[in-house]
Amino acid sequence: MGVVTPLAVGPGLARPYRWLCAHPHALDTLLAVFTFALILIGAAASPHTGRHPIGPLFVLLAALAGAALVLRRRFPIGVLGFTGAITMVEIVTSQDGPPRTSIVFGAVVALCTVAAGTDRPTTLRVGLATVALLTGAAMLFGVHPWYAQENFAVLAWTGLAAAAGDAVRSRRAYIAAIEERAVRAERTREEEARRRVAEERLRIARELHDVVAHHIALVNVQAGVASHVMDSRPDQAKQALAHVREASRSALDELRATVGLLRQYGDPAAPTEPAPGLAVLDQLVEGFVRAGLRVEVEAVSRDGLGPLAASADLTAYRIVQEALTNVHKHAGPDAKAQVRIVRTSAVLLITVDDDGPCAEEQPAAEEPGGGHGLIGMRERVAALGGSCEAGPRPQGGFRVRARLPLQARTGESRQQGRVRGTGGEGVS
C-alpha cells in the first residue's frame, strides 16, 4: 500500500524494514496474512455476528481474497478484479445472514496497489468503476436500508484506497524528481568546476608564456651582444649585461606575481603589485628600444573616458608585448615596428605593424610547429568578446590587429590627443 521511508521507522525496526525491502515477496505474503486476519476481525466485530455466526464459506472467501494479494505486484489489475469479484459474491450470495462487508479489504489493498503503480487517468477510471460497482452492490443487495453504515463503509474504504494509492504514486514521482535534480545539479557542479579549472589553467599558461617569451627574448639578444663585444668593447658589453640583469629581474617579478595567484588560503600573502597595463607601455617599449628594435607609438584617445577596465588594460598590454616580441625575434635586425592604439567610448583598437623582410616567416597560430603567442593573443581577445587578426601585409611586413569592445560611457568629449615618438605613453 503505502511507502515507508527509513526516516519513518524507529531504530529497532530498521533491520526488519531493510529485510522486507530486499524481499518483496515476503512483504506481500505478510500483507496477505494481515489482510485475511483483518477481514475476519471485521466480520467478528459486526453487530450481526451474534445472531449469524461466521460460516466456512466466508472464511474460504476471505482466505482467497488474502491469498490473491501475494500476486498483486505481478498482476495488479487481475488481482483487483479477482478480489472485487469475491466481494461481489459475498454481498450478493450471502446465505448466513447479512453480508459481511469486511471482505472488501482485499479489494481495497488491490485498488491501492493499482493506483500506486499506474498514472492518474488510469487510477480515476479504475477507481471510479470499482467504487461504483462495489458500493452499488452493497446498497442493492447488502444491509437494509440502503443507507446503512456498512454500505457507506464500502464507499469510504474503496475511495480512500484510490486516493491513498494516488498519493503514494505522486510521492514516489516527487522523490524521483528530487533525486534526479540532485544528480543533475551535482553533475553540473562537477562540469562547472572542471571548466573553471581548465579556464584558469589556460589563463595562467597565457600569462606565463607572455612573461617568459618577452623577457627571455630580450635576455637572449642582450646576452648575444655582450658575448660579441666582450673583448673589443667592454663598456658596451657591461651595458648589455646590465640590460640582461634588468630584464631577468622584471621576469622574476612578473612570474612571482603570476604564481602568487595560485597560493592557497593561509599561505604567505601574494604580491599586491598591480598587473601591467597601458600605463607602463613606455617602459615596455623602452626595453625593446634598448635591445635594438626601432619602435614608434601612436596613441589616440578621447578625453574624459576614464581608466580602462583591468581585464582590457592587461589584455592590451599583453598584445603589444607579444607582437613586439615576435617582431624582435622574426623580423630581422633592421626592422621597424609601429604601434597604434585608438580608444573610443565603445572599442579599443590595437595595431602593431612592422616592415621586416623576414616577417612572412613569423609563426602562424595554425602551423603545427608554431609557437603559442598568437594563439594566446586570440584567446585573450576572444575572452573579452573581441577579435584578433594576424598575418602578412600586402606591402610587406607583418600586422597584428586586435579589437577589444569596451563598455559605453556617457558624457565623453570629442577632443582627441596624439602622442608620437620612440617611447610610448599609456592610454588611460
Side-chain angles (χ1 to χ4, degrees):
M1 295 178 63
V3 175
V4 181
T5 63
L7 296 179
V9 298
L13 299 178
R15 181 174 298 180
Y17 169 79
R18 289 195 296 267
W19 187 87
L20 288 176
C21 290
H23 301 80
H25 295 294
L27 176 61
D28 293 340
T29 302
L30 183 62
L31 180 62
V33 173
F34 176 77
T35 304
F36 173 68
L38 187 63
I39 293 174
L40 295 181
I41 293 173
S46 173
H48 308 287
T49 303
R51 296 189 303 270
H52 304 281
I54 299 175
L57 178 61
F58 179 80
V59 176
L60 176 62
L61 293 178
L64 291 176
L69 297 179
V70 177
L71 303 175
R72 68 189 182 95
R73 296 178 188 268
R74 299 178 61 183
F75 310 103
I77 298 295
V79 171
L80 175 61
F82 181 76
T83 54
I86 289 179
T87 304
M88 295 282 290
V89 169
E90 166 62 21
I91 292 176
V92 174
T93 64
S94 178
Q95 298 178 354
D96 54 353
R100 293 173 173 85
T101 54
S102 62
I103 194 71
V104 79
F105 287 143
V108 166
V109 175
L111 178 57
C112 184
T113 302
V114 171
T118 58
D119 53 8
R120 182 162 293 173
T122 302
T123 299
L124 289 177
R125 291 194 300 268
V126 175
L128 288 177
T130 303
V131 171
L133 287 175
L134 297 184
T135 304
M139 290 181 176
L140 291 176
F141 303 100
V143 179
H144 295 287
W146 65 269
Y147 52 83
Q149 63 179 3
E150 290 88 346
N151 301 332
F152 277 97
V154 175
L155 172 65
W157 280 109
T158 52
L160 180 62
D166 184 72
V168 169
R169 180 196 56 78
S170 300
R171 184 173 181 273
R172 288 174 178 171
Y174 176 72
I175 293 176
I178 291 178
E179 292 177 349
E180 180 185 1
R181 191 179 303 115
V183 171
R184 187 166 57 249
E186 183 66 22
R187 188 183 304 115
T188 302
R189 283 195 296 268
E190 292 177 356
E191 293 175 354
E192 179 68 14
R194 286 193 295 267
R195 183 186 65 82
R196 290 186 178 182
V197 168
E199 290 180 352
E200 186 65 12
R201 286 178 178 173
L202 184 61
R203 186 189 66 81
I204 294 173
R206 285 197 299 260
E207 290 289 338
L208 292 177
H209 172 271
D210 292 342
V211 171
V212 173
H214 164 62
H215 291 290
I216 296 302
L218 295 182
V219 168
N220 180 59
V221 172
Q222 296 295 341
V225 172
S227 176
H228 181 69
V229 301
M230 180 67 71
D231 297 330
S232 59
R233 301 183 61 182
D235 54 340
Q236 188 174 353
K238 183 177 180 181
Q239 183 179 5
L241 291 175
H243 292 163
V244 169
R245 180 181 179 184
E246 181 180 351
S248 60
R249 183 169 57 248
S250 299
L252 289 175
D253 291 341
E254 292 199 33
L255 283 175
R256 189 179 300 109
T258 302
V259 176
L261 298 177
L262 303 178
R263 295 184 182 275
Q264 300 295 326
Y265 178 79
D267 290 345
T272 57
E273 299 176 359
L278 294 181
V280 294
L281 183 61
D282 53 348
Q283 301 177 15
L284 174 68
V285 173
E286 184 180 353
F288 283 102
V289 171
R290 289 199 302 265
L293 180 66
R294 294 180 296 162
V295 183
E296 178 180 343
V297 178
E298 178 181 352
V300 181
S301 175
R302 294 181 178 180
D303 295 335
L305 293 180
L308 285 171
S311 56
D313 198 18
L314 175 60
T315 299
Y317 178 88
R318 294 302 187 196
I319 290 172
V320 176
Q321 182 186 56
E322 180 62 31
L324 292 180
T325 300
N326 286 339
V327 173
H328 188 265
K329 290 165 55 178
H330 303 288
D334 297 328
K336 177 182 178 181
Q338 181 177 11
V339 180
R340 177 176 172 83
I341 302 175
V342 179
R343 180 189 177 188
T344 65
S345 59
V347 69
L348 180 66
L349 296 175
I350 303 170
T351 306
V352 180
D353 295 329
D354 68 73
D355 56 0
C358 301
E360 65 275 4
E361 298 180 1
Q362 296 190 42
E366 296 76 14
E367 295 179 359
H372 299 281
L374 295 181
I375 296 178
M377 280 195 296
R378 289 170 178 168
E379 290 174 345
R380 285 180 180 275
V381 174
L384 298 181
S387 60
C388 180
E389 302 173 358
R393 298 191 302 168
Q395 63 273 30
F398 199 83
R399 165 172 291 180
V400 175
R401 181 178 177 86
R403 181 181 184 277
L404 300 177
L406 305 176
Q407 183 178 1
R409 302 174 185 268
T410 59
E412 60 189 21
S413 172
R414 296 293 182 178
Q415 299 179 356
Q416 298 183 357
R418 291 179 177 270
V419 180
R420 295 177 181 269
T422 58
E425 294 185 5
V427 179
S428 59

